[in-house]
Amino acid sequence: DGGITQSPKYLFRKEGQNVTLSCEQNLNHDAMYWYRQDPGQGLRLIYYSQIVNDFQKGDIAEGYSVSREKKESFPLTVTSAQKNPTAFYLCASSSYGAGGTDTQYFGPGTRLTVL
Amino acid sequence: GESVGLHLPTLSVQEGDNSIINCAYSNSASDYFIWYKQESGKGPQFIIDIRSNMDKRQGQRVTVLLNKTVKHLSLQIAATQPGDSAVYFCAENYGAGNMLTFGGGTRLMVKP
């Protein structure tokens, strides 16, 4: 897991509620990412941020929102507009954003379940 | 983006044997590839990477081979151990910036 932490590990949400997933990194990485993983499937990109105070939509951004006010933090809010939010959410970070290619390192994940 | 896929969804090997996990990619412009290992309930763990100017790269008990002619990537694990049991993903860099496309994953099962 390196220097990337996610909390909580498990999260339960009632329908109609917004919930926020935390992601913090102490690797001094410029770029951070949020992915969604459904059972037996690969990772799909929700949002990414290549620099503080800037972020871009990924492939499945509808029903999610993010902020990047600090370099080390990239919280993800799952809104009530997300119709099927039950999934495993993974945060990642990398040294470079737009300036080159580098490995993305992942946090331990948050499993969100809608009751 | 273009897709990255895997030939075999499940691979079962005997402990001590060598394992080979394959991955096909379709974006000829991709210049960076990564293999990740994901254990149940955990985040993906970086194993090894390779850039497009290389054909082979070795790590500890792992080797990645890149064949750009047929757009094929493979991960070889030597002397497979029970602790190697996991799902393995390949990923390719695409487009502007450090963006990755992930394959669907291959489950490796090691029999004692």
Side-chain angles (χ1 to χ4, degrees):
Chain A
D1 298 339
I4 304 174
T5 58
Q6 292 185 241
S7 62
K9 185 173 177 65
Y10 299 98
L11 185 58
F12 298 90
R13 191 195 92 171
K14 295 181 180 179
E15 287 192 15
Q17 282 185 334
N18 293 353
V19 291
T20 297
L21 283 59
S22 170
C23 178
E24 303 279 332
Q25 53 98 2
N26 62 3
L27 302 169
N28 200 33
H29 284 171
D30 287 321
M32 297 186 74
Y33 311 81
W34 273 106
Y35 293 90
R36 170 182 172 137
Q37 186 176 35
D38 292 287
Q41 298 190 27
L43 282 65
R44 293 184 290 168
L45 183 65
I46 304 173
Y47 267 99
Y48 64 99
S49 170
Q50 295 176 328
I51 196 169
V52 175
N53 293 321
D54 186 54
F55 49 83
Q56 306 294 330
K57 292 182 179 179
D59 300 322
I60 55 166
E62 185 175 353
Y64 300 98
S65 66
V66 294
S67 63
R68 186 86 186 277
E69 298 176 0
K70 298 186 295 183
K71 187 175 185 178
E72 60 270 22
S73 179
F74 191 40
L76 173 74
T77 296
V78 184
T79 74
S80 57
Q82 171 49 238
K83 299 306 179 186
N84 186 23
T86 295
F88 191 45
Y89 290 87
L90 289 158
C91 178
S93 70
S94 66
S95 296
Y96 306 118
T101 57
D102 194 20
T103 304
Q104 291 185 20
Y105 296 94
F106 285 84
T110 292
R111 186 165 300 281
L112 172 63
T113 302
V114 174
L115 302 175
Chain B
E2 297 186 49
S3 64
V4 174
L6 296 172
H7 295 309
L8 300 172
T10 303
L11 177 64
S12 184
V13 300
Q14 202 70 38
E15 181 178 359
D17 288 351
N18 296 335
S19 302
I20 300 176
I21 301 173
N22 297 302
C23 177
Y25 66 95
S26 56
N27 191 338
S28 58
S30 294
D31 60 359
Y32 180 56
F33 304 87
I34 308 172
W35 279 102
Y36 289 95
K37 171 187 179 183
Q38 187 177 26
E39 296 175 275
S40 182
K42 297 184 178 180
Q45 176 187 359
F46 170 84
I47 301 174
I48 193 168
D49 59 1
I50 189 168
R51 296 192 184 272
S52 59
N53 60 352
M54 302 174 68
D55 297 323
K56 179 180 179 178
R57 191 167 188 215
Q58 289 184 295
Q60 186 176 9
R61 281 200 309 118
V62 295
T63 301
V64 56
L65 299 177
L66 176 62
N67 186 330
K68 295 179 286 292
T69 302
V70 295
K71 288 183 257 182
H72 185 265
L73 191 70
S74 68
L75 176 70
Q76 300 179 1
I77 304 174
T80 311
Q81 302 170 1
D84 294 327
S85 294
V87 176
Y88 290 80
F89 293 95
C90 64
E92 63 173 330
N93 176 268
Y94 73 96
N98 194 29
M99 310 307 298
L100 295 177
T101 297
F102 290 84
T106 291
R107 182 174 301 280
L108 176 64
M109 300 175 62
V110 182
K111 296 177 289 185

